[in-house]
Amino acid sequence: MQPVVYDVGRRVRRNVLIGGAVLGPFGLLLLISAFRGGVDGGVGARVFTGLFGCALIGVALLVLLFWPVLSRTQQLFIEPPGVRWHDPRGKPFAIRWEELAAVELSRKWMVRRMGRPGAVVRLDLFPADVSFRSRHPEMEHLWERDGLRGGYRLPIGADKNAAPLLDEAVQRFHPRARGGIRETGRPHLT
């Protein structure tokens, strides 16, 4: 069976790249307009437009400066041997299915831009025995994170469609450990 690989950083890389590619040229256009007198409203409007253009160019430059950090590889593997987190510059881990009592996915819903609902997906891993923590010190930063009790919570990101995909992968490789998808704060749309 082929492993299920979920690239956590793909969406972040795409959004940051698009944002930087739009903000940089737009900021440059505003700056040129301010200096060439292409802004109506007097000196105050020109100064404001120039400052706003500089701010947009600054954001685009920050994207360029921090691109190595923003584009780092972060992948979740759900595969026949277990669950593996690949993060070369972070804290990778690998867990065998036998070490886990349950694997749940949680979606924390919230209202986003323009009143649209969005969700943050997290992978919750519950150890099968008390010696798990001593065997996996590399995961200590995930222990009881964000209010989870008795488990490890790995944030996956704001892709609400990741939960069904990952839940199906757990079902395929180790159905006894599958805890399903837990929803919190789901908005009721009228």
Side-chain angles (χ1 to χ4, degrees):
M1 281 200 225
Q2 291 294 327
V4 173
V5 182
Y6 184 78
D7 187 351
V8 174
R10 184 187 73 215
R11 187 176 206 174
V12 171
R13 286 189 297 271
R14 184 192 70 212
N15 291 346
V16 167
L17 194 59
I18 290 170
V22 169
L23 293 179
F26 188 65
L28 187 61
L29 180 67
L30 288 175
L31 198 58
I32 290 170
S33 295
F35 278 112
R36 289 203 170 168
V39 176
D40 291 336
V43 176
R46 287 176 62 191
V47 169
F48 177 78
T49 302
L51 289 174
F52 191 60
C54 286
L56 295 180
I57 291 170
V59 170
L61 290 174
L62 283 174
V63 166
L64 189 61
L65 181 66
F66 287 105
W67 183 249
V69 174
L70 297 169
S71 66
R72 80 183 213 208
T73 301
Q74 291 181 308
Q75 296 172 315
L76 177 66
F77 289 78
I78 298 180
E79 50 197 356
V83 177
R84 185 166 45 103
W85 175 246
H86 176 71
D87 187 356
R89 290 199 227 138
K91 296 182 179 180
F93 62 82
I95 306 165
R96 295 182 325 276
W97 289 118
E98 307 82 56
E99 296 181 275
L100 295 169
V103 177
E104 293 179 356
L105 286 132
S106 59
R107 278 195 287 205
K108 181 179 179 183
W109 289 87
M110 59 199 80
V111 177
R112 296 195 183 264
R113 296 172 267 150
M114 297 186 285
R116 292 185 344 195
V120 175
V121 176
R122 293 98 44 109
L123 180 71
D124 298 336
L125 305 166
F126 297 94
D129 60 66
V130 293
S131 62
F132 183 94
R133 274 182 90 178
S134 62
R135 286 194 314 272
H136 292 282
E138 72 279 10
M139 295 178 63
E140 193 60 32
H141 65 289
L142 302 173
W143 177 250
E144 295 191 338
R145 184 178 182 159
D146 298 330
L148 182 68
R149 295 286 171 225
Y152 297 83
R153 178 165 278 168
L154 176 67
I156 301 298
D159 182 3
K160 66 183 175 195
N161 299 320
L165 170 79
L166 297 172
D167 183 52
E168 188 273 322
V170 174
Q171 172 69 30
R172 183 179 343 149
F173 292 116
H174 199 66
R176 287 188 314 240
R178 180 179 173 255
I181 301 172
R182 237 178 335 100
E183 309 269 355
T184 57
R186 186 171 187 122
H188 293 88
L189 301 175
T190 56

